[in-house]
Amino acid sequence: MSTPPTSPAQPTGPTPPGPAPETAPTSPAPQPQQRHPHPPTLRTALFVIVTAYLMVGVDSTVVNVALPDIQRDLNFTPTGLSWVLNAYTLAFGGLLLLGGRVGDIAGRRRTLTAGVLLFALASLLGGLATADSWLLVARALQGVGAALTAPSTLALITTNFPEGPRRHHALGIYTSMASIGASIGLVLGGMLTSWASWRWALLINVPIGIGVALALPRFVTETRRHAGRFDAAGALTGTAGMTSLVYAFIRVSEHGWTDIQSLLGFSTAAALLAGFALIESRADQPIMPLRLFRSRNRAGGYAGVLLLPAGMFGAFYFLTLLTQQALGYGPLRAGFAFLPMTLAIFATLRIVPRLLQRHGAKPLLLTGMTLIVVAGGWLWRLEPGDGYVTGLLGPMILMGLGVGMSFMPLNATILAGIAPRDAGAASGLLQTLQWLGGTLGLSVLVTVFGTATRHATGSPAAILTQGAARAFGAGSLIALVALLVAALALTGRPRPPR
């Protein structure tokens, strides 16, 4: 990372790490548009869907290691450089809920195709950028494309794969790919920047996006379009409120909790979101149906989706800083340092679908969250001079196991029993809360870091390690709150699908 440890402005973790919904509803009578393809076609459909979402996950970190080269080529100021990442965060986080609802109304395959093409076009524009403002516009357009892409991939998994083992297997692969996207982005960004140019970190999306867009109509079944009026008032207030909230959190991470613009952003967001809730309670076809919260399990799951990333994403950020600024790793080596975590996630997700069928979501979720809490507590004890093997490797493996065991059951709890007409809205809300939770968590952990290091003395690496350790402790406490919410709110093992 090139940004100084005292002013981190964005998460370096995934778009959220594991955002695959688990079991969606058993739909009544299958519609012609929802007929499930044969297994060989299902495998190809899964590959296409996973590739679409992997572009979004990889792009959340692939540019990070290229920031010094971008700053040098396009003459960014230090403050302006942070918006290479924040422009993407702001558009993606603010528009996710709207993107989910667009898929419900226009058709999710059609929406996914549009999102992928927009993402590829924005990547082309960014790769050809010759001015700082040009690149920032391209990054914002990438965020819009990602907001259309992500909820549609989630919903298409549920509509293309039948209930039971096939869907669980597909979701296991999908979740593992979504979870390791950030690590792949760090490695890929380091390779492309070192061997070619930072521009290829963006241009690589162009052929991939075109290939996915061509394959979608052939291999992925379209969902039913739900005719009716679009909730324009809800879309406007919800999107503006989410955007204001994301912007306020980004400002906090840069300028602290007393910044006037941050406080104004939070006030504006509170007013807009209150109006959004009022509109949704009265709308005939709301963009976010409030009936999604009637289930105790689902409401508890949404709380967990907000809290768990809040404790994790900041930890991911400081791990990236430690490997590069305290241990002196280059971009490529820093990316490979995360591979043990990536492998732990992947290995765990290979067995989670079978365990989920046998034991239900709650035992897996509580076990995974406990591992994340323990990993954060272990990192809390980090001391200056600790190396990668002695200080970071063990907690990173534990965190990977916890992530692999937590997110799939958590998403399964949220998406179980969702009516087909609400699948996109539920998926969009799920990802919105994950993204906002990660942004909130990062701003809190950055504040803890700044407080711990404001009057610290010693070498830069020692100060970074001391501050990061305090931030890890705060992240562990947030994850503990998520664990308590899950233990108290979830009612136990849901009935398996028949």
Side-chain angles (χ1 to χ4, degrees), residues 36 45 64 67 81 132 144 164 172 191 204 209 238 243 263 278 290 293-294 308 312 339 365 415 451-452 455 481:
H36 299 296
N64 288 25
L67 288 177
L81 186 65
D132 52 359
V144 177
M191 293 170 61
I204 194 173
T243 303
L263 297 177
L278 181 63
L290 296 183
F293 298 96
R294 290 175 185 168
L308 197 57
M312 286 178 47
L339 285 183
L365 183 56
L415 271 295
T451 303
H455 304 295
V481 174

Side-chain angles (χ1 to χ4, degrees), residues 231-258:
D231 180 15
L236 179 63
T237 54
T239 300
M242 292 295 182
T243 303
S244 298
L245 194 58
V246 173
Y247 174 76
F249 284 139
I250 291 173
R251 287 284 305 187
V252 163
S253 69
E254 293 177 332
H255 303 286
W257 291 95
T258 58

